[in-house]
Amino acid sequence: MPTPEAVDRRRMPPWLPRAFMLAAATVALFVAVVWVALRLRGLLLLLLIAMFLALAIEPAVNKLASHGCRRGAATGLVFLALGILTALFFAVLGSLLVSQVTTLVHGIPGYAQHLVGWANRTFRTHVSQADIGRQLSRTGGLVSGHLSALAGNAWGIGTTALGAVFQSFAVLLFAYYLAAEAPRVRRTICSVLPPHRQREVLRAWEIAVDKTGGYIYSRALLAIASGVAHWIVLSLLGVPFAFALALWVGVVSQFIPTIGTYLAGILPLLVAVAKSPLTALWVLLFILGYQQFENYVLQPHITARTVDIHPAVAFAAVIAGAALLGPIGAVLAIPGWASLQSFAKTYIHRYGVEEHRLTTGTPEPEKRAKHPKPRRPPWRRPPGDNGR
């Protein structure tokens, strides 16, 4: 017959059912949170974009509020200024696009004749413009069929455009309230935290505002400098639509991470090629030279007090942001990493680094080989010298 001690050992501990219940509840809560996050992924992304926009404009709103303007009116004025600049940008580029398309359509016969003549002379062919016209007629029929199919799907295109407009309106609305009611939002969050946590949250919020606003400020200064420089050079070279092209280069090269520089330089090169190949060559040389000047002279001085990130780290941050959130993540990657970098500088203690050739970058001094002293021949040794 088992003893009472053995019976007690085989009995389930009283804390084990509670532990199982707690583990099951934790797993269920985690699954529920993941399910809700996946369902609300679009809304969370809109809120993230709105938070970034609110942080970016908050320094300007605070500046206007410090001069006696109410925060709601100050936020509205900042949004109005941004809307006017955006409309001006697209209006100028729209006029450039319409003019270039019109020029291209009127110049197609001349381009085709020049191309046919060059092909016949180079490859010794006998292609005529009538053959090209028939081929273009067939191609036009195919294009008309595709356009008809695309027109049949106009409802889907209209729905997509309406959804994009609604999402943009939602982002602007959220950003307006987050910027206009920023002190009240911070007070609401801090009211549920102990005092020492409140200071940490407010410090983190201040860093995020400074770095995000500094990123937009530095990009705007670099865009103005780039636009003015390209406008002067394109005007001197006689490139058509110099102001519109300079505006395109300034905005795209600074506000589209990583590939913005290359996208910005393509359009001026295409317009310059239409004028003359030599002009396009000078434009290409200036774009390459200005890019080096900006990377090594302008950008370090402008971003030294705002967003000081190593180019390799910025490139990696953009790739990671694009992999996580797509194009939106690529745009938000640099100010986000700048905020994390500032948090690390604030809260992580750093120690002095020992002097070493791997940390200083200086090469190790060469060690001289010790050669043994040659022994003198017996007939040349002085008296009493045994050759040591």
Side-chain angles (χ1 to χ4, degrees), residues 1-11:
M1 184 173 180
T3 60
E5 292 79 5
V7 173
D8 290 340
R9 291 195 190 97
R10 282 182 287 180
R11 186 178 300 171

Side-chain angles (χ1 to χ4, degrees), residues 86-319:
T86 304
L88 177 63
F89 175 73
F90 283 106
V92 172
L93 290 183
S95 64
L96 170 64
L97 181 62
V98 171
S99 301
Q100 288 298 312
V101 170
T102 304
T103 304
L104 180 62
V105 169
H106 288 295
I108 282 178
Y111 295 150
Q113 183 177 2
H114 179 72
L115 181 61
V116 168
W118 176 81
N120 290 333
R121 290 191 304 269
T122 304
F123 302 104
R124 297 181 181 180
T125 58
H126 301 283
V127 180
S128 62
Q129 290 190 10
D131 298 333
I132 296 179
R134 287 191 293 270
Q135 187 64 33
L136 288 177
S137 298
R138 297 195 193 104
T139 306
L142 295 175
V143 172
S144 299
H146 289 297
L147 290 177
S148 299
L150 189 63
N153 197 24
W155 175 257
I157 297 175
T159 304
T160 304
L162 185 61
V165 171
F166 175 75
Q167 290 180 353
S168 301
F169 178 75
V171 168
L172 293 177
L173 186 63
F174 285 141
Y176 175 83
Y177 282 115
L178 287 174
E181 303 291 335
R184 184 178 299 178
V185 171
R186 287 190 282 265
R187 289 183 67 87
T188 303
I189 294 175
C190 292
S191 63
V192 298
L193 299 174
H196 65 281
R197 295 296 181 188
Q198 293 180 16
R199 289 189 292 269
E200 293 179 0
V201 169
L202 293 176
R203 175 58 179 163
W205 204 307
E206 185 180 8
I207 291 174
V209 170
D210 292 340
K211 291 303 176 182
T212 306
Y215 171 74
I216 299 298
Y217 175 73
S218 61
R219 294 291 102 184
L221 287 181
L222 290 173
I224 293 173
S226 177
V228 170
H230 283 82
W231 176 60
I232 293 174
V233 173
L234 294 177
S235 299
L236 292 177
L237 293 175
V239 179
F241 310 104
F243 178 75
L245 293 174
L247 182 63
W248 164 266
V249 172
V251 173
V252 174
S253 63
Q254 302 303 326
F255 288 97
I256 296 182
T258 308
I259 62 173
T261 302
Y262 308 103
L263 291 178
I266 292 175
L267 187 59
L269 285 177
L270 293 178
V271 177
V273 166
K275 185 175 185 297
S276 69
L278 182 60
T279 303
L281 178 61
W282 282 111
V283 171
L284 177 62
L285 292 176
F286 173 75
I287 291 175
L288 295 177
Y290 182 82
Q291 187 62 35
Q292 302 305 315
F293 172 75
E294 180 184 283
N295 290 338
Y296 294 102
V297 178
L298 282 182
Q299 189 166 345
H301 287 82
I302 292 178
T303 61
R305 298 183 179 180
T306 55
V307 183
D308 189 12
I309 303 178
H310 192 275
V313 177
F315 182 70
V318 169
I319 294 177

Side-chain angles (χ1 to χ4, degrees), residues 373-388:
K373 186 177 180 180
R375 297 172 62 89
R376 296 182 181 180
W379 61 84
R380 299 186 61 180
R381 296 175 187 168
D385 187 359
N386 56 4
R388 295 181 180 176

